[in-house]
Amino acid sequence: MATQLDLTGYSNDKTVMAQRFRRGAHWVYTIALPLHLVPSHLPVPDPDNKLPGNRRVERRRAQKFGDYWRTKDQRVAPPLLLDTTYPLSDPGNFDVKFEVAGVEVGILKLPHNMAAEVDILDGQHRTLGWTLALQDIADELKRARTSLLGSKNAEDEVGIQTWQKKVDQLTAEQKRFSTEYATLEILEGVTEDDHKQLFTDIAVNAKGITKSITTSFDRRNKLNRVAMDVAESIDLLDGRVDYEKDRVTGKNENLISAINLADIVRHVAVGIDGRMTTGRESRMKDSAIAEMTELFFQALEASFDEIERLAKDEIDPTELRSTSLLGSITILRVLAGAYHVLAVDITDDSYPHVTQAGDQRARKLFASLNGHMGFPIETGWFETGYFADADAKAPSSRAQDLKGLANEIAKWADDGAPF
């Protein structure tokens, strides 16, 4: 009878020591994982393709962390925070051995494809940094062994000593990565939407986090929710919103950033200097705000040739920015404020809406500006006092200037545009 072999390479799971405790509504599992297992146990971020629910990683920053880990004798890194929908707490997955003060210690079964089952909440650059460092060590070790073999074949004693020393150093460094550990905290039962919100909660005060990233993930904020919904529902915006950068300039192929879009939603809904108060948060329906925003963008597309051509892909945002005021987010915000003055009724903010007469007035005004948005700006724009000089490609973006120009343009609906 053949001897049954128990080989982990054929198993559907792998077992590790873990602690378990409650944090809010979730079980949290804490694991010490050898660094050499990080690439196989965790999703490795790709600088060219961001992981769902996370911001894009910077290769240079990750490489610097990997170099730090390789070269510094005193090394430190906080735990990696992960989440998963995998049922770690199902019967048979966690065998409790000890318990004290609400903390359980036991044996945890992880799925063999763990990297596909977890998402990184915090620690993308550390994960990529360790992965890059391990790959660099493996590549350098392979080259050193090749050179050592070449020296041996050539009976080059100096070369043999040099390359043997290098092989020994790299082998020791590779072994060190198998005896040093990363701490993992895994939150169980986190949905994709929960992941985005938790990521925002962690990152909102972190250095380098942009308002556009916060806008795209923070679903608690009404204006952010509506902005993300209309970014997909309005054809003009679909595929033209930058969810990472706050400023869309130069060769950026997007028309607008996520935070810019949230500003426009606010201007349309409550005015250029209006506030989404707690009361309005509870009374104004998302669908009503989205509908008003969609009508504003429809008015732009129907009134301005450049916007219509952009919607038809006859020009791109970079060309629009270089040839027209309509490529300026400041002008779009001002037009949104003017549209609110002319077309939006929030007398009863539980029923905010665009009036038919107001929408027609706004469209008539916008149509009168069609053909007068090119560079250099016409005298009528400069004489408003909101442009620094005749070569300006956008008006002042100071709050009081945004309000002043929006109100000035709204008056043109009755007085006529100065062109």
Side-chain angles (χ1 to χ4, degrees):
M1 182 177 179
T3 301
Q4 182 68 35
L5 299 178
D6 185 13
L7 301 177
T8 59
Y10 298 92
S11 175
N12 289 327
D13 50 51
K14 37 200 167 190
T15 55
V16 295
M17 289 288 298
Q19 292 181 336
R20 182 174 74 171
F21 52 87
R22 300 290 294 188
R23 181 180 293 157
H26 303 283
W27 280 114
V28 180
Y29 292 84
T30 302
I31 302 167
L33 186 72
L35 294 180
H36 75 287
L37 294 181
V38 164
S40 61
H41 283 58
L42 303 183
V44 178
D46 178 356
D48 297 323
N49 298 285
K50 73 184 184 71
L51 294 171
N54 290 63
R55 59 173 169 168
R56 194 180 302 276
V57 295
E58 300 174 14
R59 177 178 290 274
R60 181 171 176 272
R61 180 178 167 191
Q63 187 75 59
K64 286 180 67 176
F65 176 77
D67 293 342
Y68 156 79
W69 204 266
R70 292 187 63 182
T71 59
K72 299 297 182 182
D73 292 333
Q74 297 292 333
R75 299 172 292 274
V76 65
L80 302 176
L81 187 56
L82 316 168
D83 61 51
T84 185
T85 58
Y86 188 83
L88 296 173
S89 295
D90 273 9
N93 283 342
F94 187 59
D95 182 13
V96 178
K97 301 297 184 183
F98 306 99
E99 189 274 334
V100 58
V103 177
E104 300 170 335
V105 179
I107 308 300
L108 176 65
K109 285 185 179 180
L110 297 174
H112 203 68
N113 62 334
M114 180 182 173
E117 293 286 359
V118 298
D119 294 303
I120 301 174
L121 269 174
D122 186 50
Q124 284 198 111
H125 287 92
R126 277 164 274 152
T127 301
L128 180 57
W130 280 319
T131 301
L132 292 175
L134 283 162
Q135 185 61 57
D136 287 344
I137 294 170
D139 291 343
E140 292 168 22
L141 185 55
K142 183 177 181 179
R143 289 194 296 269
R145 286 171 175 160
T146 298
S147 297
L148 177 59
L149 287 173
S151 296
K152 287 181 177 180
N153 290 336
E155 297 183 354
D156 177 4
E157 291 299 327
V158 175
I160 291 173
Q161 292 179 9
T162 300
W163 288 112
Q164 184 63 61
K165 182 179 179 180
K166 186 66 174 177
V167 168
D168 292 343
Q169 289 174 344
L170 290 167
T171 300
E173 188 175 5
Q174 195 173 59
K175 183 177 181 180
R176 175 166 67 79
F177 269 73
S178 67
T179 57
E180 293 186 351
Y181 288 76
T183 302
L184 313 183
E185 284 194 3
I186 307 176
L187 279 70
E188 182 187 19
V190 176
T191 66
E192 183 175 348
D193 285 343
D194 290 339
H195 172 91
K196 291 180 178 180
Q197 186 61 59
L198 289 170
F199 177 84
T200 301
D201 292 344
I202 293 168
V204 70
N205 294 314
K207 181 180 179 181
I209 194 73
T210 66
K211 292 180 180 179
S212 285
I213 292 174
T214 300
T215 298
S216 62
F217 287 172
D218 186 4
R219 303 294 292 185
R220 292 176 185 156
N221 182 288
K222 182 180 291 288
L223 295 175
N224 292 349
R225 287 199 305 272
V226 174
M228 293 305 95
D229 290 342
V230 300
E232 297 179 356
S233 65
I234 298 176
D235 289 342
L236 175 65
L237 299 179
D238 190 17
R240 297 187 177 98
V241 178
D242 193 321
Y243 297 101
E244 298 202 352
K245 292 183 175 65
D246 289 344
R247 298 179 68 248
V248 176
T249 59
K251 295 183 179 180
N252 193 314
E253 296 180 354
N254 294 291
L255 172 66
I256 195 171
S257 73
I259 186 61
N260 294 155
L261 181 54
D263 285 336
I264 287 177
V265 171
R266 176 169 60 86
H267 299 334
V268 171
V270 295
I272 199 76
D273 61 346
R275 295 178 57 214
M276 183 58 69
T277 62
T278 302
R280 283 173 170 168
E281 280 268 359
S282 62
R283 291 189 295 270
M284 283 187 167
K285 293 182 179 180
D286 291 17
S287 58
I289 299 174
E291 181 178 358
M292 294 189 297
T293 305
E294 289 173 2
L295 287 170
F296 164 67
F297 279 103
Q298 288 173 14
L300 289 183
E301 187 174 343
S303 305
F304 292 105
D305 293 340
E306 299 101 311
I307 301 296
E308 182 182 20
R309 291 181 64 206
L310 179 68
K312 293 179 177 179
D313 289 323
E314 295 176 0
I315 60 173
D316 60 30
T318 59
E319 183 178 349
L320 183 67
R321 277 193 291 273
S322 66
T323 59
S324 172
L325 279 171
L326 292 165
S328 159
I329 183 57
T330 308
I331 278 291
L332 295 180
R333 291 177 64 185
V334 164
L335 292 176
Y339 186 83
H340 172 85
V341 173
L342 295 171
V344 174
D345 184 351
I346 55 170
T347 306
D348 178 2
D349 58 15
S350 64
Y351 177 56
H353 62 284
V354 170
T355 67
Q356 184 175 4
D359 181 67
Q360 290 175 351
R361 288 185 71 204
R363 288 178 181 236
K364 183 178 179 180
L365 169 64
F366 290 170
S368 73
L369 301 179
N370 186 37
H372 301 284
M373 307 300 285
F375 298 135
I377 61 171
E378 297 186 25
T379 303
W381 287 113
F382 183 63
E383 289 181 348
T384 63
Y386 295 106
F387 290 79
D389 53 56
D391 293 324
K393 293 191 174 182
S396 167
S397 60
R398 293 187 302 175
Q400 62 268 33
D401 293 338
L402 285 171
K403 180 181 178 181
L405 185 54
N407 289 333
E408 179 77 12
I409 291 175
K411 289 180 182 178
W412 294 350
D414 296 320
D415 302 339
F419 302 108

